[in-house]
Each structure stands twice: as C-alpha cells, then as structure tokens.
Amino acid sequence: MRHSMTSAIALLILATLGVAAAERQTASPPAQEQQQSPAQKQDALPGSPGHERQVDDALKSESGRAGKAEPLPQASSDGPVFVDGALNVPDAPKDSETVPAKFSAHNAALDKLPIMAARLTDEQRKKIAATLSTGNTSVVAIDATISQKLPLDVEMLELPDVLKREIPAVSKLKYVRARDRIVLVDPPPSRIVVGEIKN
C-alpha cells in the first residue's frame, strides 16, 4: 500500500514536469526576443504616436487602471547603453560632462582647470571677447592666472548688462583687460581670477 502510494506521487510529479516542459516549448518567445520591424521599433520610442496609443490602451484596460499593467513598453536596444562612457540612445549628447576624460578631449581640458574656474562654452567666450573688444578700456599688465588673487591696486570693471543677461554664469563677475586676454574675476573681497579669454 505504501509502495503504491509513493509510486503514484512520483508518477504525478513526473506528469506535472512533463506538462510544464511541453508548455514551455510551445510558448512564444518573450517580447524582447521577438523580431521587430523598423516601423515597430519606431512606434516603441517614447513620444511616438504608436507609443502614445499603447499608453492610452493600457490605461483603458482594467489592469492598467488598477496599476497592474505597465503602460510604457520596455525599450529594446540593439547595443550597449553606454559606449566609451557616452549614452548610446537616440538624441543623447555625444560629449557630455559625464564622458570620462580619456574619451573626451573637452572633458580632459575641463579636468585640468581649477574648480573655481568659470565654465563657459566656446560660443560664450567668443561673445564676451566680441563685446568687450569694442570698448576703450585701459589695458593692465598683470600676471595673475586662474585661481590666483588679483593684486589690490588693479581696478576691476563691470561687465556690460547685455553679457550678464545672456550669460548668467558671469552675472556676478568683473573683468580686467590685459595685453593678450580678458581676465574674469570674482568681485571683492575674494578678487580671484576665475577665467581667461584670449584676444
């Protein structure tokens, strides 16, 4: 009696495992593994009309309203998320400040600047140089470079209001015109040079 009961349980377990294996073989592959056409991939991108339609459909369903269904599709990627430290997705900046310096010459140059240096783009530097070159301010002979303190006898000038409005990073700074450059300075009491723009 006991032996027949053990055999029956073993037979039941084997039958259950066989049914589970058969179901697994006939089931369709997961959504991530299914082949998608370019149009389907385009519709899966957030913000696309197809994506918005999927979100609306999910929110109209019973499980979507209950919060059980995921309204946003899982984006499938054709490659790694990061390549050389840069985000590898559509419309991602190619040379952001998060890219390691060994992959970005721009970030390598920024790493060499002292922390207090003003972070200006090339366009902002050109705008400052163009605006200040039209004035007739006196040229001062100074040796101070970024992170050094400007001597007390050097007069600092106010930046024009147009620059302060267009480039918020320099709104509190003052400047001095040297022979070969424009020197941006933190206002007193610090008087520390935070930027240099070559003429």
Side-chain angles (χ1 to χ4, degrees), residues 77-189:
S77 66
D78 294 337
V81 177
F82 289 96
V83 174
D84 292 339
L87 199 56
N88 185 29
V89 296
D91 300 328
K94 297 299 178 202
D95 197 17
S96 68
E97 287 193 20
T98 59
V99 176
K102 68 181 182 179
F103 299 118
S104 167
H106 173 72
N107 289 344
L110 286 178
D111 285 351
K112 292 176 183 168
L113 285 176
I115 292 173
M116 77 275 303
R119 307 279 181 168
L120 301 172
T121 64
D122 290 338
E123 292 81 25
Q124 290 171 332
R125 289 176 180 282
K126 288 176 187 173
K127 175 75 174 172
I128 292 169
T131 304
L132 298 180
S133 65
T134 57
N136 52 1
T137 57
S138 59
V139 175
V140 180
I142 55 171
D143 294 344
T145 59
I146 294 178
S147 79
Q148 293 181 336
K149 198 166 192 171
L150 199 64
L152 291 173
D153 61 338
V154 176
E155 181 186 359
M156 296 180 293
L157 305 170
E158 286 287 332
L159 287 167
D161 289 335
V162 66
L163 287 178
K164 290 180 180 182
R165 278 192 308 273
E166 291 181 23
I167 309 171
V170 299
S171 63
K172 295 180 182 174
L173 300 180
K174 299 194 179 294
Y175 81 99
V176 173
R177 178 180 293 285
R179 274 189 324 276
D180 58 342
R181 62 200 164 114
I182 297 165
V183 179
L184 299 174
V185 186
D186 259 341

Side-chain angles (χ1 to χ4, degrees), residues 25-88:
Q25 287 178 352
T26 59
S28 63
Q32 301 148 345
E33 296 175 11
Q34 291 177 354
Q35 295 296 328
Q36 293 181 340
S37 70
Q40 288 173 324
K41 286 183 181 179
Q42 185 66 30
D43 278 347
L45 292 175
S48 68
H51 176 257
E52 290 176 8
R53 203 170 32 255
Q54 289 173 346
V55 171
D56 291 341
D57 292 345
L59 293 176
K60 289 177 186 173
S61 70
E62 184 69 32
S63 61
R65 286 193 302 274
K68 296 176 185 173
E70 184 73 35
L72 301 175
Q74 297 297 319
S76 62
S77 66
D78 294 337
V81 177
F82 289 96
V83 174
D84 292 339
L87 199 56
N88 185 29

